Amino acid sequence: MVIFILLVIIALISPMIYDYNTDIVTQNLRNRLQPPTSEHPLGTDAFGRDVFARIAYGARVSLLIGFIVVGASLVIGGFIGAIAGYFGGILDNVLMRIMDVFLAIPQILLAIAVVAALGPGITNLIIALTISMIPAYARLLRSLILPLKDAEYVEAAKASGTNTWKIIFGHLLPNAMGPLIVNSTLAVGKTIVSAAGMSFLGLGISPPNPEWGAMLSEGKEYIRYAPNLVLYPGMAIMLAVLSLNLLGDGLNDALDPRLKQ
Amino acid sequence: MIKYIIKRLIMMIPVMLGITLLVFTIMSLSPGDPGTLILGPMATQEEIDAKNQELGFYDPFFVKYFDFVINAVQGDLGTSWYNNQPVTREIMNRFPVTFKLTIYSILLTVIVSIPLGTIAALKQYSIIDNVSMLLALFLASMPVFWLGLMLIIIFALNLDILPATGNENWKNFILPTIALAGSVIAVISRMTRVTMIEVLHMDYIRTARAKGATEGRVVRKHAIQNTLIPVVTVLGVNLGIMLGGTVLIEQVFGMAGIGTLMINAIRTKDIPLVMGSVTFLALCFSIINLLVDISYGFIDPRIKTE
């Protein structure tokens, strides 16, 4: 939790300390591959750019992608899952069989296929990762809605003539909120890793933009001379994911009363 | 049991059709056309059009899809736009590397994580438990490709005991296998531990102990089998992640597997090769899922009788 807040703060204040054009993307070849100094706390990369500044900026990119992708797939996948679970029948069958097909392709492979067709870049990366995450949310929401839809308060709402959509989004969804929040926290972590992986493969955010996966890909070329170039961005990813995993576990314990005993 | 397997095999057909349709739809969004790519920048527009016509590029979507499926069933995934080789042959040339890497990683995961999780559960809150679970927590948060890079730095560059790249002999597979299995080992050991702790509190375990069974017999005979059911489910889900991870790991360690083939195909805009690789890996994933489902029958006799 503390690490995560720290990361968010770093992501928020980095533009106040470093200027994007001079510090992040401008090459300074006289300063290339410098070891850590007081001026450059984590050294400089092969183009003489400050590694710490780039990691700090990278936090903005990674967290932003993580939240957008999870938010979008939660809305789209959640909607599909909610109506499938609530209405049941043919609609449920058709929607879930379609989702099964999506789930039959490993997630990163699906994302790779989408980027291969659309081309690299941040927007396409977000689209690709969202598409690959939608079916998981559809499944999750359906499984959360199913046991709830026969509850007495739903019967009561139906009997009093409440609009169907209001029942789904006003009554059922709030009751499914706990697992959704926990799951989304973990999903942001997964998305950050996937996004870094895609950029590492050259299918995501391309240089000179600072993104952790892209930095690892660049640093890989100099692994023999400057191992710190692959060490630090990876540690940043690990810390971000670790903090989100811990946050998710903590929320899970807090929101699940059965575990409190 | 055989009836169940046949039923599952038949169920795979619509799923595979769905997968090919999905991949085909995604790929048809791609802006390139084969004529331009095959004939190069010197070709005239008429030549390009003629080539596209010949390859059936202007056919309606469903005609193209139908052709693709009919050929794919016969083992023909099309011809590469880039080097004019049959896609199936290209994939089969690369398949052994990816296959070995995946199988080794699955074996390593099972050999390490199930005993580790069991020991951690039996000796709950001991040093082994705490250290291994802390390690698992970190391992689960590491991107596979970064773990791979770290292993290269430590074992190939600093200690110089293992090769960093290539896929010629067994030594080349050690680091990639560890890197690929790392995060899954972490997930499965944690899962085994949690499930085992739950199982050990069950009534039948108390009964087994009460009738005087030794602790070793209780664990081996009664607890493990009941622990394995949820663990195998989670393992099945993670095998998909592993299969996707091979793409990254092959790239890190410069191995000539399907992953590198696919990434190169994306760079050269070789759509048939990309489509073939994705379809092939998805087929592998479906087969793995089938094997996982069948293995339930062996672990849990209750399923067999159903």
Side-chain angles (χ1 to χ4, degrees):
Chain A
M1 184 76 194
V2 177
I3 314 173
F4 183 68
I5 291 175
L6 214 64
L7 268 173
V8 173
I9 293 175
I10 288 179
L12 288 178
I13 64 167
S14 59
M16 298 173 202
I17 308 172
Y18 300 104
D19 178 60
Y20 186 82
N21 284 321
T22 55
D23 289 321
I24 310 293
V25 291
T26 307
Q27 304 185 357
N28 183 356
L29 293 177
R30 259 187 309 163
N31 266 335
R32 62 197 302 251
L33 299 176
Q34 294 284 312
T37 56
S38 57
E39 200 188 338
H40 303 293
L42 299 179
T44 60
D45 70 3
F47 300 105
R49 298 170 299 203
D50 185 272
V51 172
F52 182 77
R54 286 177 64 79
I55 288 180
Y57 244 92
R60 294 168 67 82
V61 180
S62 289
L63 290 175
L64 196 70
I65 293 177
F67 284 116
I68 293 179
V69 167
V70 170
S73 28
L74 178 65
V75 171
I76 304 171
F79 181 74
I80 296 173
I83 58 172
Y86 185 79
F87 293 109
I90 300 176
L91 183 71
D92 179 27
N93 244 319
V94 171
L95 285 175
M96 282 303 125
R97 289 302 82 76
I98 294 173
M99 291 299 125
D100 280 351
V101 169
F102 277 81
L103 284 169
I105 303 177
Q107 207 179 11
I108 189 123
L109 218 57
L110 189 58
I112 288 175
V114 174
V115 170
L118 300 179
I122 186 160
T123 321
N124 291 344
L125 178 69
I126 290 174
I127 295 173
L129 291 173
T130 306
I131 290 177
S132 72
M133 201 170 261
I134 286 174
Y137 269 110
R139 269 249 171 119
L140 177 72
L141 236 107
R142 180 176 175 273
S143 69
L144 291 173
I145 294 281
L146 271 184
L148 293 176
K149 72 169 185 182
D150 295 323
E152 278 174 11
Y153 60 84
V154 178
E155 294 288 324
K158 266 188 210 165
S160 64
T162 314
N163 174 307
T164 310
W165 298 110
K166 213 177 160 192
I167 295 180
I168 296 180
F169 295 104
H171 295 277
L172 290 173
L173 220 52
N175 278 294
M177 227 44 196
L180 267 187
I181 293 172
V182 172
N183 204 284
S184 303
T185 316
L186 301 176
V188 173
K190 272 188 214 151
T191 307
I192 290 177
V193 172
S194 306
M198 297 285 286
S199 300
F200 181 75
L201 291 172
L203 301 173
I205 290 158
S206 43
N209 291 313
E211 200 275 345
W212 294 336
M215 288 174 74
L216 282 173
S217 176
E218 273 182 357
K220 184 175 164 258
E221 308 299 319
Y222 306 93
I223 192 167
R224 205 169 278 274
Y225 319 104
N228 55 331
L229 290 188
V230 294
L231 182 67
Y232 299 126
M235 270 168 77
I237 301 175
M238 195 181 77
L239 280 179
V241 177
L242 184 70
S243 65
L244 284 160
N245 283 350
L246 290 174
L247 187 66
D249 284 354
L251 284 172
N252 192 27
D253 294 348
L255 294 171
D256 189 349
R258 281 179 307 158
L259 287 169
K260 270 190 184 150
Q261 301 156 7
Chain B
M1 192 67 201
I2 289 177
K3 225 168 121 188
Y4 173 73
I5 296 173
I6 293 172
K7 206 176 117 194
R8 275 300 320 259
L9 276 173
I10 294 172
M11 269 163 63
M12 250 177 80
I13 297 172
V15 173
M16 276 318 292
L17 279 176
I19 290 173
T20 45
L21 182 61
L22 177 62
V23 175
F24 205 85
T25 313
I26 293 172
M27 285 303 153
S28 63
L29 298 174
S30 164
D33 67 285
T36 319
L37 206 78
I38 295 169
L39 300 173
M42 301 297 280
T44 61
Q45 192 56 44
E46 287 81 47
E47 286 171 332
I48 291 171
D49 286 343
K51 188 76 185 169
N52 283 340
Q53 194 75 45
E54 180 198 325
L55 290 167
F57 183 70
Y58 298 127
D59 288 346
F61 177 81
F62 275 101
V63 174
K64 282 198 283 186
Y65 173 64
F66 194 69
D67 283 346
F68 177 75
V69 171
I70 294 292
N71 289 328
V73 172
Q74 296 162 4
D76 175 13
L77 288 169
T79 311
S80 160
W81 289 353
Y82 187 66
N83 60 9
N84 223 8
Q85 296 290 315
V87 169
T88 314
R89 198 202 303 158
E90 295 263 311
I91 290 175
M92 281 305 151
N93 285 341
R94 301 293 196 102
F95 182 53
V97 172
T98 307
F99 183 71
K100 275 192 223 164
L101 183 59
T102 317
I103 294 292
Y104 293 160
S105 302
I106 294 173
L107 287 178
L108 185 70
T109 306
V110 172
I111 293 170
V112 175
S113 52
I114 292 177
L116 192 68
T118 309
I119 294 170
L122 292 175
K123 302 217 162 35
Q124 212 182 338
Y125 305 125
S126 68
I127 293 181
I128 303 180
D129 182 24
N130 287 333
V131 171
S132 58
M133 286 308 125
L134 190 70
L135 211 64
L137 194 62
F138 276 94
L139 214 53
S141 309
M142 280 182 200
V144 281
F145 55 101
W146 186 63
L147 181 58
L149 291 170
M150 290 297 110
L151 290 173
I152 288 181
I153 291 178
I154 298 169
F155 293 100
L157 298 180
N158 285 345
L159 300 176
D160 200 18
I161 45 176
L162 288 167
T165 54
N167 47 272
E168 288 79 31
N169 62 34
W170 62 273
K171 272 189 175 171
N172 290 108
F173 279 92
I174 298 178
L175 294 182
T177 302
I178 298 174
L180 186 56
S183 65
V184 184
I185 288 179
V187 173
I188 301 294
S189 342
R190 287 178 71 181
M191 184 73 199
T192 310
R193 177 181 175 271
V194 171
T195 318
M196 183 61 109
I197 289 172
E198 241 168 59
V199 167
L200 285 174
H201 285 107
M202 290 289 175
D203 286 343
Y204 52 82
I205 296 292
R206 199 178 335 136
T207 312
R209 279 186 182 140
K211 73 179 186 191
T214 60
E215 193 59 30
R217 197 179 150 76
V218 169
V219 172
R220 263 180 287 121
K221 210 52 205 158
H222 301 271
I224 283 277
Q225 272 200 327
N226 285 297
T227 307
L228 281 182
I229 301 162
V231 169
V232 167
T233 310
V234 176
L235 185 64
V237 174
N238 276 278
L239 292 181
I241 297 173
M242 226 182 219
L243 208 58
T246 55
V247 180
L248 289 157
I249 290 294
E250 283 171 15
Q251 201 73 12
V252 170
F253 290 93
M255 302 172 93
I258 296 177
T260 38
L261 180 74
M262 187 167 71
I263 299 302
N264 287 337
I266 292 174
R267 291 205 180 118
T268 52
K269 297 203 167 40
D270 193 347
I271 298 296
L273 197 50
V274 177
M275 202 150 67
S277 315
V278 176
T279 310
F280 184 79
L281 287 176
L283 176 69
C284 292
F285 185 44
S286 299
I287 293 172
I288 291 175
N289 274 330
L290 177 69
L291 293 176
V292 169
D293 279 358
I294 293 172
S295 75
Y296 286 136
F298 290 99
I299 298 166
D300 190 349
R302 282 170 301 186
I303 294 175
K304 219 188 299 186
T305 52
E306 261 173 31

